[in-house]
Amino acid sequence: MQSRSMLSFDVYLVGSTLALIAIGILFIYSTGVTSTGRVVSNEYIRQIVWASTGIILLFATALLPHGTARQWAIPFYLGVIVLLLVTLAFGRVVNGARSWLGIGGLGIQPSEFAKLASILMLAHFFDRIGSGVQRIPMLAAGFLIVALPMTLTLMQPDLGTALVFIPIFLVLLFVAGAR
């Protein structure tokens, strides 16, 4: 097996990601500056902090062995489902949706983690069933993996986030070899 190091990464992918992050931060910065150049919002600083955290997590995750994702797919998925249930019961209402969990000024949106958990769980499931992805019962079982977090997200209600689960399912289904 090939060893993984910081020196073996896709330069174009990392460069594109960093460029998109920089553009996003500049857009946020521009919304907080008046036409006279006076800064009226420091929201861009929070974005820089979150982007930096994301970049650190990206490189830390890239160094993990591939088997780690497979090993943690089920516990991560189940943990996110529990978080979605807790959000429905105790979440903070923001813009009409009970979709945030938070302590003080810090908050997370479990439905965002549900997307990643669904991807990992579907990949794990499709890997285990192999060519069984061609059979309708296995296809239906795969759909149930995304239907649960999608339904819990719809109950918040957050239609926009819930609809993202459909293309996630279809793309992973295609990658798994379904016709």
Side-chain angles (χ1 to χ4, degrees):
M1 186 168 131
Q2 178 183 351
S3 67
R4 298 167 61 88
S5 72
M6 291 293 276
L7 301 176
S8 61
F9 61 89
D10 187 340
V11 175
Y12 296 112
L13 182 62
V14 172
S16 300
T17 302
L18 294 175
L20 287 171
I21 289 170
I23 290 168
I25 290 170
L26 288 173
F27 276 133
I28 292 171
Y29 174 77
S30 71
T31 63
V33 178
T34 65
S35 59
T36 61
R38 198 174 115 246
V39 177
V40 293
S41 171
N42 291 327
E43 188 65 30
Y44 71 96
I45 294 172
R46 287 179 54 178
Q47 191 67 26
I48 290 170
V49 170
W50 286 113
S52 301
T53 304
I55 291 168
I56 291 167
L57 288 173
L58 167 76
F59 284 107
T61 304
L63 292 174
L64 291 175
H66 291 294
T68 304
R70 182 179 293 120
Q71 175 185 351
W72 286 97
I74 295 171
F76 182 51
Y77 178 80
L78 294 174
V80 167
I81 296 302
V82 168
L83 278 177
L84 287 170
L85 290 168
V86 169
T87 303
L88 283 173
F90 306 106
R92 223 181 316 167
V93 176
V94 177
N95 295 329
R98 185 177 300 279
S99 58
W100 288 85
L101 287 177
I103 299 171
L106 221 77
I108 62 165
Q109 200 170 7
S111 57
E112 296 299 323
F113 293 101
K115 294 176 203 173
L116 178 60
S118 296
I119 291 168
L120 291 173
M121 187 65 189
L122 274 174
H124 176 70
F125 176 72
F126 288 148
D127 181 53
R128 289 186 65 112
I129 65 169
S131 62
V133 73
Q134 302 291 343
R135 296 192 329 257
I136 296 295
M138 291 294 115
L139 186 111
F143 182 72
L144 289 176
I145 290 172
V146 295
L148 181 58
M150 186 170 81
T151 302
L152 293 172
T153 304
L154 276 171
M155 292 171 67
Q156 293 176 354
D158 187 353
L159 179 64
T161 301
L163 287 176
V164 173
F165 288 95
I166 294 170
I168 286 173
F169 175 69
L170 294 174
V171 167
L172 280 163
L173 197 60
F174 175 74
V175 170
R179 287 180 279 160

